[in-house]
Amino acid sequence: AMTQHNLGCSYYARIRGERPENLEEAIFHLQQALEVHSPLTNPAMSRKTAQKLGEACLALQSWDQAAAAFGKAIAADEILYQAALGQVGREIEMAEAGDIYSLAAYASAKAGFLLQALEALEQGRARTLRDALERNRRDLEQLAGHGYAELYRRYQEASRSWQELRRHSTSQRSESTPIHSQARQPELVAELEAAQSEILAIVDEIQQVPGYEDFLRSLPAGSIQALSQQTPLIYLFATSQGGLGLVVSGGVICPVWLDALSYKDLMEALLGPAAESGYLVAYAHWREVITNREASTVERLAATDAWHAAIEAATEWLWKACMKQVVKILQEQRIHQVALIPGGLLGLLPLHAAWTSDARRSSGRRYALDKISFTYAPSAHVLRSAQAGAARPANTLLAIDNPGMDDPELELRFSGEEVASAAEHFESANIRWLVGEAASVDRIKAELSAYQVLHFSTHGLAVPVEPLESFLLLANREKLTLREILELRLDTARLAVLSACETGIPGTTLPDEVVSLPAGLMQAGVPGVIGSLWSVRDASTMMLMARLYDLWRKENYEPPEALRLAQIWLRDTTNGQKEAYFKHSLREHIRMKMSELAPREALHQLLLEDKEDRSFAHPFHWAAFGYMGV
């Protein structure tokens, strides 16, 4: 079987002879290998061989064969994922799986198997988050009341033991220790194997209970279609063959073929043709320059101009590559609001800000969000879990205001205005306003679970290669990390507003896992989270948030729509219109909370410099923020 596998790989890569003939030979030998390397007998080699077989079939456009091959690869991968010991082991398997789920979906859709394509995409999305949400399901408690008290007790005990062992196995790993180091700890491995076998057996019993068939399983197509009756969805992803969008609305699945959205095209947009330019490169350079005290004004301006140009280039490319077709079909189906589930590194880009030229508009452009309200979701499973909290009240506010106010490097000049604009929409008795040093990590963690709206006006930082270390910066430069957020239970909160830099950037090592601050808060129980994709400016963020709360709390728009309308308002209104707006807002409340009015006066002066100008029209000022959840 190994000889056949190696022959197949050699023919696939062969440069002599005719390409179709080489591919046919590759397919033959890989099929021979799979007769021995089945998912059950040798899942690791089965996954590897089936993936290569699928790629060979794709190259020949043999869609049915490709779909079948990737189906075998997914079956093997699921066995390996379930058998992995601890989170580290599962991360290894997810990395090894690569893009088999998106390729399986692409091949299945080309073959006309849309249900199969939908299930493949969902199965490969945010698996760790899905499992965490399932293990913390509130309705598991109902098992005890339905005559399954003993089963529930056994699950709780086994789950606690399993989670503790997983944490212990993760803590054993250090930077100097290879990722496979668990093999050096035979006692821990044996305990993990025993605990995993026990919990898998109990999970199998739970799945036999009516109403719990999907427990710790990926959602089947029927459940996703049922969800789309209430919330239309669109999966969007790139592959080596091209891109695909799957619109799911009213139970109907509609493919949108996106030939210009290949993985190569996506990487070129992010990194440039030679990994020396592009969206991510320009952003990294800009961040480096603006945080460098020794950088000159000329260097700062040049880096800022390059970053602004990169945003424009990337969002223009997004329109041509995918969002033009997406918006067209959504409008044809009269869908106004849709949940986007972007695959892989597409999650790094503001899809809602894709644009094309339009001389009829004040900005000279037509953006994707002008007609469609886009929200984001890690997966349909996570979105369905979030819907359980969508009806929660939103009458109490925990506001974190400028924790670094006594530190010149960290002070946010307009934070007081921003928090005041949120606070004036709540009864004073329902507000917890933590300013400066009062906003310590311990105090905030103790307060979070008691409030329904959580507003963070502070600094944030994403750590894409170690996303669990992404954080919100609090008093005394303390960090509230994503790792800590994942340990919280926030079953009271309706909305979290992360008004800080980089709070929506997902990890890049396993991008389909969507490891980010918003996803972490959703796992903790918050159904809706607003986060940002880059380092945002204080003044424009304050104005955006002030308008958002007015639209939500005064004009009764739902939070996602309030964010969209606030972004359009910030983009399209003139400086004079903004100045008039703020002159009549935040009346007495702001004076109660601020010791002086210098920031407010500074804002008015900024807006009055050129009353007819639209100084905040560039997407840099408004497009960073996106809404995840419901």
Side-chain angles (χ1 to χ4, degrees), residues 574-588:
T574 65
N575 293 352
Q577 289 170 322
K578 291 182 179 72
E579 197 275 338
Y581 175 81
F582 285 105
K583 184 179 289 184
H584 296 95
S585 67
L586 308 177
R587 293 178 292 279
E588 297 300 323

Side-chain angles (χ1 to χ4, degrees), residues 143-159:
L143 282 170
H146 293 164
Y148 299 94
E150 179 61 17
L151 178 60
Y152 177 68
R153 184 193 64 77
R154 286 167 51 212
Y155 172 76
Q156 289 293 95
E157 289 183 1
S159 183

Side-chain angles (χ1 to χ4, degrees), residues 301-612:
L301 289 174
T304 299
D305 288 343
W307 167 228
H308 286 197
I311 295 174
E312 291 185 314
T315 48
E316 184 180 23
W317 171 79
L318 279 172
W319 179 266
K320 295 174 182 176
C322 59
M323 295 307 289
K324 176 182 178 179
Q325 298 94 312
V326 167
V327 169
K328 180 182 177 182
I329 197 166
L330 292 175
Q331 289 184 304
E332 288 174 352
Q333 296 186 17
R334 299 185 178 181
I335 297 172
H336 173 68
Q337 183 168 334
V338 66
L340 266 170
I341 303 175
L345 295 175
L346 272 175
L348 294 170
L349 294 167
L351 295 158
H352 57 281
W355 63 274
T356 186
S357 297
D358 189 341
R360 297 168 298 177
R361 298 176 180 269
S362 60
S363 63
R365 298 172 180 178
R366 175 160 44 95
Y367 289 88
L369 86 167
D370 283 332
K371 293 294 184 181
I372 310 294
S373 181
F374 292 100
T375 59
Y376 295 84
S379 68
H381 196 294
V382 176
L383 190 64
R384 189 178 72 167
S385 297
Q387 285 185 337
R392 291 175 189 167
N395 300 320
T396 60
L397 172 70
L398 175 64
I400 313 306
D401 177 6
N402 201 8
M405 64 184 301
D406 296 323
D407 188 332
E409 292 184 0
L410 300 177
E411 183 180 7
L412 296 170
R413 192 176 190 188
F414 298 106
S415 181
E417 291 268 358
E418 178 181 318
V419 174
S421 70
E424 73 169 5
H425 297 288
F426 297 83
E427 296 291 334
S428 58
N430 293 336
I431 300 169
R432 186 67 161 164
W433 192 330
L434 300 178
V435 185
E437 291 188 357
S440 66
V441 167
D442 290 341
R443 188 168 182 181
I444 288 171
K445 286 169 69 173
E447 300 266 13
L448 279 173
S449 60
Y451 290 87
Q452 296 159 352
V453 179
L454 314 173
H455 187 103
F456 288 83
S457 178
T458 181
H459 293 276
L461 183 68
V463 186
V465 294
E466 290 287 346
L468 292 181
E469 302 307 318
S470 299
F471 62 86
L472 295 166
L473 195 64
L474 300 178
N476 302 312
R477 294 187 179 241
E478 296 174 342
K479 299 174 182 178
L480 178 61
T481 66
L482 175 54
R483 190 185 302 277
E484 293 173 290
I485 288 172
L486 292 174
E487 297 175 356
L488 300 174
R489 292 299 299 270
L490 304 176
D491 295 333
T492 300
R494 169 62 185 90
L495 176 67
V497 180
L498 306 182
S499 180
C501 299
E502 302 185 350
T503 52
I505 297 177
T508 55
T509 305
L510 294 169
D512 278 326
E513 285 303 287
V514 200
V515 185
S516 65
L517 290 167
L521 284 163
M522 291 187 74
Q523 177 176 324
V526 186
V529 185
I530 294 174
S532 63
L533 287 175
W534 55 74
S535 181
V536 293
R537 287 290 168 81
D538 191 14
S540 55
T541 299
M542 183 279 291
M543 290 187 282
L544 178 69
M545 294 301 164
R547 185 66 181 135
L548 181 151
Y549 277 95
D550 272 356
L551 288 161
W552 175 31
R553 307 292 294 187
K554 282 185 181 177
E555 301 183 34
N556 298 317
Y557 288 98
E558 289 297 313
E561 180 69 357
L563 175 61
R564 182 184 81 91
L565 293 175
Q567 290 172 315
I568 293 172
W569 174 87
L570 182 64
R571 181 192 73 195
D572 291 349
T573 53
T574 65
N575 293 352
Q577 289 170 322
K578 291 182 179 72
E579 197 275 338
Y581 175 81
F582 285 105
K583 184 179 289 184
H584 296 95
S585 67
L586 308 177
R587 293 178 292 279
E588 297 300 323
H589 203 72
I590 188 68
R591 296 191 181 97
M592 293 165 56
K593 294 296 180 182
M594 295 182 64
S595 59
E596 46 84 23
L597 298 178
R600 169 178 275 196
E601 291 304 319
L603 176 65
H604 290 321
Q605 290 302 315
L606 171 68
L607 296 174
L608 284 170
E609 286 180 3
D610 189 344
K611 295 184 68 171
E612 299 306 313

